[in-house]
Amino acid sequence: MPQWLCNQLMRAFQKKDRRQIKLLNDCWYFYRNKQGPKEQINVTEFH
């Protein structure tokens, strides 16, 4: 996950901004699905 996205998610969770959390979550899944299968394997290993 890109660092900028992690930072924004942390900020949204600290502020308890549900709208922002949902938006960033949707962005992450969209970004992840646009990547090839190789990238998806790396993402699952990261978590």
Side-chain angles (χ1 to χ4, degrees):
M1 181 180 290
Q3 189 60 44
W4 64 268
L5 184 57
C6 288
N7 293 341
Q8 287 191 17
L9 273 169
M10 291 292 289
R11 224 172 297 137
F13 272 103
Q14 288 172 351
K15 293 180 179 180
K16 299 179 181 171
D17 185 352
R18 290 183 178 191
R19 185 191 62 82
Q20 186 73 1
I21 293 167
K22 184 176 181 340
L23 176 68
L24 292 169
N25 191 49
D26 289 344
C27 290
W28 169 241
Y29 280 103
F30 178 77
Y31 171 82
R32 192 176 75 172
N33 289 333
K34 293 289 276 186
Q35 301 300 310
K38 182 180 174 187
E39 285 295 321
Q40 289 182 358
I41 291 170
N42 291 340
V43 168
T44 56
E45 289 174 357
F46 179 72
H47 295 289

